[in-house]
Amino acid sequence: AQTVTQSQPEMSVQEAETVTLSCTYDTSESDYYLFWYKQPPSRQMILVIRQEAYKQQNATENRFSVNFQKAAKSFSLKISDSQLGDAAMYFCAYRSGRFTDKLIFGTGTRLQVFP
Amino acid sequence: NAGVTQTPKFQVLKTGQSMTLQCAQDMNHEYMSWYRQDPGMGLRLIHYSVGAGITDQGEVPNGYNVSRSTTEDFPLRLLSAAPSQTSVYFCASKTGHETQYFGPGTRLLVL
């Protein structure tokens, strides 16, 4: 069975600085997707970034980028130029490449941003 | 498009009561699913559907029932609520290999 581990329950960063959130996963599949979701206090689950396992290039979305290390089964999220609005819970998630709806989530990292 | 909508936003139940959490999407997505989120944990899959008339169990299906009579709607039924079902419930939908869209969540408190 696949598992997702986020080993940092809480992280903090100062405004305008850079922070990296860690995620490791375990799978025997070669075709899969990885996601980072942001959950602000409103509880809405917001997609931050997505990575297809078959793509070697790391995904980027504006200030958000990932470091995808397939052999090490590591998928970290880097937030550059942190803003107060980035404060939230961040969840790493895995989905098989087969046609499936099942997302497997990590336990989350709470990110605090200080002015 | 309204996206994925959920009702109610918040509900209080007594142990043993039944209720239905509603989920609807207007994007013609074939996949729909229900997750629950408990403190200190990520979301866990309860039930999912790959199309109208087809449902299957996820990781934590006990105590919940689903049906999918239309593409748009995917209600989640609690037949006899228990305090262990106190949680925040999220509905999600997607098409093909695309990313899931999540609803705003329903917070359920069972006393």
Side-chain angles (χ1 to χ4, degrees):
Chain A
Q2 297 87 9
T3 58
V4 175
T5 302
Q6 293 179 250
S7 58
Q8 306 157 317
E10 289 192 7
M11 292 283 286
S12 60
V13 64
Q14 282 215 295
E15 220 176 346
E17 297 295 307
T18 296
V19 64
T20 299
L21 308 184
S22 300
C23 173
T24 58
Y25 60 94
D26 190 25
T27 184
S28 58
E29 298 177 325
S30 59
D31 182 22
Y32 52 88
Y33 301 85
L34 296 165
F35 306 86
W36 278 99
Y37 281 91
K38 172 185 178 181
Q39 187 179 44
S42 66
R43 290 203 184 95
Q44 180 71 51
M45 294 293 288
I46 302 165
L47 177 70
V48 175
I49 202 163
R50 155 186 165 136
Q51 175 79 43
E52 288 87 349
Y54 64 86
K55 289 186 178 178
Q56 293 190 344
Q57 189 171 6
N58 289 326
T60 62
E61 285 289 340
N62 301 315
R63 298 182 294 106
F64 299 88
S65 61
V66 298
N67 184 4
F68 174 47
Q69 302 287 329
K70 192 171 184 179
K73 295 179 183 173
S74 169
F75 182 60
S76 59
L77 175 69
K78 185 170 87 171
I79 306 174
S80 304
D81 186 26
S82 297
Q83 300 175 0
L84 293 177
D86 294 334
M89 282 291 289
Y90 286 82
F91 291 96
C92 178
Y94 169 100
R95 193 179 84 203
S96 170
R98 292 174 284 115
F99 276 102
T100 179
D101 204 21
K102 184 179 180 181
L103 279 168
I104 300 168
F105 285 85
T107 51
T109 296
R110 181 173 301 282
L111 178 66
Q112 293 182 301
V113 182
F114 295 104
Chain B
N1 283 355
V4 180
T5 58
Q6 292 183 237
T7 56
K9 284 187 171 57
F10 176 62
Q11 183 74 44
V12 179
L13 286 180
K14 293 182 179 176
T15 297
Q17 285 185 317
S18 63
M19 81 160 294
T20 299
L21 280 63
Q22 301 292 345
C23 174
Q25 53 92 9
D26 61 356
M27 299 172 282
N28 203 31
H29 286 172
E30 64 272 30
Y31 291 86
M32 294 187 75
S33 52
W34 277 102
Y35 291 82
R36 62 177 286 175
Q37 183 179 25
D38 301 303
M41 303 185 75
L43 280 67
R44 291 182 293 165
L45 183 64
I46 304 171
H47 285 287
Y48 65 98
S49 169
V50 300
I54 306 169
T55 63
D56 207 346
Q57 295 181 351
E59 184 184 352
V60 288
N62 293 341
Y64 307 95
N65 212 348
V66 292
S67 60
R68 183 103 179 264
S69 55
T70 67
T71 300
E72 296 78 21
D73 300 296
F74 190 44
L76 179 72
R77 295 182 187 85
L78 283 70
L79 300 176
S80 179
S84 61
Q85 293 178 304
T86 292
S87 189
V88 180
Y89 291 85
F90 289 94
C91 179
S93 75
K94 77 172 181 74
T95 184
H97 282 300
E98 295 303 310
T99 304
Q100 273 91 338
Y101 289 84
F102 281 88
T106 293
R107 186 165 156 243
L108 178 67
L109 176 61
V110 183
L111 301 175

